[in-house]
């Protein structure tokens, strides 16, 4: 006996590859399909539409196929309102709860499609019937440990519509749709110039630039360049670990990073103790901000973050020395702090850190522009595979990338200032 359901897909589904993915998913999972209607959008601003019947030999296979199609934006024909079940206890979700993707999502409630706020992968989807500012229905995500008893949790995928980002009709430059390919042979200088231009545009538009940085940024000698970007106003949020901050502060105090002189690559006598001495000095001062105010720390990334009021989150780990008093040692508290940063970001630079970047990537909507740079291609691949539709991946030395990026950003800023001055002179004349 065959089991069948009809689904609908619409949008720029041909050039975005959506139709190909949907057809492939049905066949890969052992089902079959019959296209009942296919209207092709023949102009740039006209969307395509497809209705197809999907069949499988058993209900379980059909459900698996429908789930995969749902992830690619398909919805059941004549969808019904989302099914909501009250959470039985704090941190407990109902069976068959809907686990979110990182794509823009809507829920059908009381006959109306509602945008889901703060979209993020692997969360529960909560609906408040009168939670909006005017008493309107509201939908948003919650991580499992934040679910409260009696929260109305969406189950299965009925009444839920996922909208994967589509390929833009205009050229996307470095941030072309689903660019995701990783290669050390990509023309790096031109790509870095495009990233620099994007940073300037986001900053000039009042957007938010988030940097996720690993200790290698300091150890490779790129810390000065990152500090320049912070000082010039091109970093709004910094997410890092205890190690990154300790390396940076050690450099300010002793001129070393993990005991190595970054300029000469020499290891001074007792240099291996510098990082723990640094931590003790910051603890004695009462924290990084206090150390800056007292003149103990006078340069570096953390110094510039304090001076320029950059939102900084240092998330701890089990291997941390000290840690610094500013480091958040509670994992859930750290996740929530990173989550707040990620949801405000318009572009994220992930610099030479796998685990920390994965943590941030888990919180990002697929529409956030992402730049991932690491000398290890496996790191870049893993991060880009987390689902951003607008991503740049570069396999290169972070000690080269950050200084070059800073040079191009500040060079463009200077050129813009010169152009503005020239325009002013012409108008005065």
């Amino acid at each position: 006996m065959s089991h069948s359901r009809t689904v609908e897909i619409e949008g720029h589904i041909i050039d975005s590859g959506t139709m190909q993915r949907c057809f492939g998913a049905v066949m890969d999972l052992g089902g079959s399909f019959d296209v009942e209607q296919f209207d092709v959008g023949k102009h740039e601003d006209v969307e395509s539409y497809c209705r197809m019947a999907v069949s499988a030999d058993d209900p379980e296979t059909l459900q698996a196929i429908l789930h995969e199609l749902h992830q690619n934006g398909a919805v059941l024909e004549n969808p019904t309102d989302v099914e909501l079940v009250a959470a039985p206890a704090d941190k407990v979700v109902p069976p068959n709860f809907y686990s979110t993707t990182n794509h823009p999502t809507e829920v059908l409630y009381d006959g109306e499609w509602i945008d889901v706020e703060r979209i993020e992968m692997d969360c529960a989807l909560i609906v408040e019937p009168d939670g909006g500012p005017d008493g309107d229905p509201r939908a948003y995500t919650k991580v499992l440990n934040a679910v409260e008893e009696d929260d109305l949790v969406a189950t299965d995928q009925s009444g839920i519509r996922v909208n994967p980002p589509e390929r833009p009709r205009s050229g996307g430059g470095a941030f072309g749709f689903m660019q995701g390919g990783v290669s050390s042979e990509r023309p790096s200088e031109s790509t870095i110039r495009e990233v620099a231009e994007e940073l300037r545009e986001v900053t000039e538009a009042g957007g938010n630039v988030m940097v996720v940085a690993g200790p290698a940024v300091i150890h490779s000698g790129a810390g000065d360049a990152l500090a320049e970007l912070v000082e010039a106003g091109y970093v709004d949020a910094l997410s890092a670990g205890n190690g990154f901050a300790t390396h940076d502060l050690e450099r300010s105090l002793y001129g070393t990073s993990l005991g190595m002189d970054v300029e000469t690559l020499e290891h001074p006598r007792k240099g291996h103790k510098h990082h723990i001495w640094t931590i003790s000095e910051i603890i004695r001062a009462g924290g990084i901000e206090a150390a800056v105010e007292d003149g103990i720390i006078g340069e570096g990334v953390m110094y510039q973050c304090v001076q320029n009021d950059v939102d900084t989150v240092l998330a701890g780990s089990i291997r941390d020395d000290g840690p610094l008093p500013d480091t958040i040692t509670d994992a859930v508290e750290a996740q929530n702090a990173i989550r707040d940063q990620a949801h405000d970001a318009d572009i994220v630079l992930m610099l030479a850190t796998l685990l920390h970047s994965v943590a941030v990537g888990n919180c990002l909507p697929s529409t956030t522009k992402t730049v991932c740079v690491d000398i290890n291609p496996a790191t870049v691949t893993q991060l880009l595979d987390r689902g951003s539709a607008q991503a740049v991946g570069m396999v290169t030395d972070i000690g080269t990338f950050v200084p070059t990026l800073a040079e191009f950003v500040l060079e463009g800023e200077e050129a813009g200032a010169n152009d503005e001055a020239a325009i002013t002179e012409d108008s005065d004349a």
Side-chain angles (χ1 to χ4, degrees), residues 76-353:
L76 293 173
E77 187 179 36
N78 301 319
T80 57
D81 275 5
V82 63
E83 181 181 346
L84 303 173
V85 177
D90 290 352
K91 303 181 183 180
V92 180
V93 292
N96 299 319
F97 80 99
Y98 175 77
S99 177
T100 57
T101 72
N102 62 346
H103 297 314
T105 302
E106 301 167 90
V107 303
L108 185 62
Y109 181 79
D110 200 17
E112 298 287 338
W113 287 104
I114 306 168
D115 289 332
V116 177
E117 303 168 17
R118 293 177 65 84
I119 194 64
E120 174 182 336
M121 68 169 65
D122 301 331
C123 291
L125 197 163
I126 310 298
V127 175
E128 290 185 18
D130 55 0
D134 299 318
D136 298 326
R138 178 187 176 218
Y140 54 94
T141 62
K142 273 189 176 183
V143 292
L144 296 192
N145 63 43
V147 170
E148 299 175 282
E149 183 177 1
D150 294 329
D151 276 346
L152 295 179
V153 182
T155 61
D156 203 359
Q157 59 230 18
S158 59
I160 300 172
R161 181 164 63 193
V162 173
N163 300 301
E166 296 177 333
R167 181 188 300 276
R169 292 303 179 99
S170 58
F175 292 91
F177 175 83
M178 295 297 279
Q179 226 165 253
V182 176
S183 172
S184 57
E185 297 178 0
R186 178 173 292 177
S188 58
E189 184 168 314
S190 60
T191 301
I192 297 173
R193 281 193 181 278
E194 292 187 68
V195 173
E197 180 62 29
E198 186 67 28
L199 286 185
R200 286 198 300 272
E201 289 181 4
V202 169
T203 300
E204 289 169 5
N208 185 288
V209 179
M210 180 179 181
V211 171
V212 185
V217 173
I218 308 301
H219 206 57
S220 66
D224 290 344
L226 182 55
E228 288 178 8
L229 288 173
V230 176
E231 183 178 16
Y234 289 97
V235 177
D236 300 287
L238 173 70
S239 182
N242 184 74
F244 171 86
T246 300
H247 281 234
D248 177 70
L249 297 165
E250 176 191 338
R251 178 123 190 276
S252 177
L253 285 171
Y254 300 102
T256 60
S257 171
L258 203 60
M260 183 190 75
D261 188 303
V262 173
E263 276 72 37
T264 66
L265 304 184
E266 295 177 350
H267 290 76
R269 184 172 177 271
K270 294 189 177 181
H272 63 285
K273 296 181 179 290
H274 287 176
H275 78 285
I276 202 68
W277 289 350
T278 296
I279 292 170
S280 68
E281 286 297 316
I282 302 302
I283 292 173
R284 186 176 296 111
I288 297 172
E289 183 173 353
V292 170
E293 292 174 351
D294 292 346
I296 297 169
I297 301 298
E299 61 179 346
V301 179
M302 301 310 299
Y303 170 82
Q304 292 296 345
C305 285
V306 171
Q307 294 290 78
N308 292 277
D309 198 26
V310 170
D311 178 26
T312 302
V313 173
L314 302 180
S317 76
I318 198 170
R319 63 188 183 277
D320 286 340
D321 289 323
L324 293 164
D326 305 79
T327 299
I328 303 173
T329 56
D330 182 288
V332 173
E333 182 185 346
Q335 284 180 354
N336 289 335
I338 290 172
R339 185 169 284 112
D340 288 339
Q341 288 184 312
H343 281 281
D344 287 338
D346 294 297
I347 183 171
V348 179
L349 305 184
M350 298 178 171
L351 308 177
T353 171

Side-chain angles (χ1 to χ4, degrees), residues 395-419:
V395 179
T396 190
D397 174 29
I398 201 68
T400 300
F401 174 84
V402 179
T404 305
L405 177 66
E407 177 187 345
F408 290 163
V409 169
L410 300 178
E411 172 188 280
E413 183 182 65
E414 184 177 341
N418 291 338
D419 290 343

Side-chain angles (χ1 to χ4, degrees), residues 10-21:
E10 56 185 325
H12 297 298
I13 57 180
I14 299 175
D15 46 353
S16 291
T18 302
M19 285 310 309
Q20 179 181 352
R21 291 194 298 275

